[in-house]
Amino acid sequence: MELYAIVLALVGFVDAMSFMIVSPSLVFYVLQQGGTQDQYGVILSCYSLASFLAKPFLGAWSDSSGFRVPFMATQALSVVGGILYLLASVVNQDGGGAVWTIMVGRVLGGIGAANTTLGFIYVARALPQDEQTKMNSLLGTVRLVGMALGPVMNFFVKDVNFSVESFHFDELNSVGVVLMVSNFLTMALVYFFLDEVSSEAAPKNDRSGDKEEEDEQLSTTELMQAISSPDLFIYLFSMFSFMSGFQLIETAFAPAASDALGWGPFEVSVVLGGISVVIAGTTMVVFQLSSKKVRDESLMTFGLIAGAVSYLFMYFCWFHDAPIWIFVLPMITGASCFPFMNGPMRSLFTEVVNSKPALAHHQGKMQSVLSMSGNLASFAAPALITKYVLREPEEVKASADQRELTWLGLFTVVLSLMSLSGHLFAVSRKESRVDAKNVDENNKPNLPNETTSLMGDGV
């Protein structure tokens, strides 16, 4: 395996472990510091909003400066975010000071998380398009292994209860220490072991034009026209749909499991880690299928169908005092569909970008736009989910069905079906273009040229 792949894999592994230790405990930390469930949703939304706003700048920065400089700068902000997360526990709770400190720390962490798109940009520049799905799937698998091992970290911090001078460490604020250490470690890995790859290494298309034309700036008008074209917009919307489903699980699972099953951060992280193991397995399946030349279009179609069915069952199975296996099973099947959508979707998107002469040398910007469409769901969904989809414990007990989600929780099913329709439309258009091209080539007259015997030496 190439050194750059090992470094990107290790960076993703460490980042995923730090994510997994925050995700299950954040709602409990917010409540401990005097916050509410709605404020928890707002913090999640602010985290994703910060990542959303940072990505276009990182994409443009990467196009001009490469991978390392923007990555190191954003990781440094993540280190500061971890410090604030830790110190929130000593901020006066009056006026919501502690909650605000957590929010600022997560905003800085969100800016740092935006650099995940730099890894996809690196792959898009370093590898030809037909190898990108395998590499993205492999890197995704390593990240999922990191998420699966996240509960190990939660196991170590769940019994933290000591003081240094007047500062008290517990299982919730000690997460900030993990964030500081893990982000610093990834900075060291990139600084010492990752070489740059030039934007000129991106796969080229056969096209005319000189070097000056290739390097021209992508205007806002051209960018908007590209985004609004059906073949690109379909995958931007699919990424939005994909991340909306992910946000339903990430946002609602911990508070829903706390109410329905009486679980705390450790139990939640164990289940999320187990789900990560399942996702890692299905990611390897996607990797093998891609290696056997199974089309990305087919993989994505399966993922969208299976995801819609799983979200439907999740709505009906998340109810108060549900058996654990009934509560968890639909979430496992839904999450295991992610690899069938994420890697193939990015590969198809890259293929479309490379097919457009105006965009092929702006992979950084376009990969950032794709990631931003996911972040649009990530910052919009959590606050809406906690406000309109996730029921308060009192509402659950007072309801006849005792479900943890309102009927609006079916939004993920609707989005998945819309994405499926758009994807099938895109596949149909692509196949029509290929058929038309084949017909044109078959109808071309076999004109003589210097390679034919008519123009040769008569042999």
Side-chain angles (χ1 to χ4, degrees), residues 220-271:
T220 302
T221 301
E222 290 173 324
L223 179 61
M224 295 307 298
Q225 289 175 344
I227 293 173
S228 61
S229 65
D231 48 354
L232 278 178
F233 180 78
I234 285 168
Y235 296 111
L236 294 173
F237 181 82
S238 296
M239 178 61 77
F240 176 87
S241 172
F242 165 73
M243 288 304 299
S244 294
F246 181 82
Q247 284 302 316
L248 178 63
I249 294 176
E250 180 185 356
T251 304
F253 177 59
S258 176
D259 177 64
L261 307 175
W263 284 359
F266 178 69
E267 292 84 0
V268 170
S269 67
V270 168
V271 172

Side-chain angles (χ1 to χ4, degrees), residues 296-306 340 420 423-424 427:
D296 291 326
E297 292 88 347
S298 300
L299 296 173
M300 186 172 169
T301 299
F302 173 80
L304 290 169
I305 294 173
F340 286 91
L420 177 63
H423 170 61
L424 294 177
V427 172

Side-chain angles (χ1 to χ4, degrees), residues 58-193:
L58 285 178
W61 195 358
S62 174
D63 283 335
S64 62
S65 302
F67 177 91
R68 292 177 57 172
V69 173
F71 180 87
M72 299 292 284
T74 49
Q75 284 299 95
L77 291 178
S78 292
V79 172
V80 177
I83 295 173
L84 291 177
Y85 194 94
L86 170 66
L87 297 179
S89 59
V90 297
V91 175
N92 195 325
Q93 294 184 9
D94 294 339
V99 174
W100 276 103
T101 304
I102 295 174
M103 182 179 296
V104 173
R106 296 310 292 153
V107 165
L108 295 178
I111 296 174
N115 63 33
T116 55
T117 195
L118 296 175
F120 295 113
I121 294 171
Y122 196 104
V123 171
R125 290 172 177 162
L127 294 175
Q129 191 272 332
D130 60 351
E131 297 181 20
Q132 290 173 22
T133 295
K134 291 188 291 184
M135 179 55 66
N136 285 332
S137 295
L138 179 62
L139 295 178
T141 300
V142 175
R143 288 184 63 88
L144 291 166
V145 171
M147 294 178 69
L149 294 178
V152 175
M153 296 300 299
N154 279 282
F155 176 80
F156 285 118
V157 303
K158 76 182 184 70
D159 294 323
V160 171
N161 185 23
F162 65 91
S163 298
V164 177
E165 298 296 336
S166 60
F167 190 90
H168 183 72
F169 291 86
D170 60 27
E171 66 171 319
L172 298 177
N173 67 7
S174 58
V175 170
V177 178
V178 178
L179 294 176
M180 288 186 289
V181 173
S182 61
N183 286 310
F184 185 79
L185 177 59
T186 56
M187 291 175 67
L189 285 171
V190 168
Y191 182 80
F192 289 108
F193 300 108

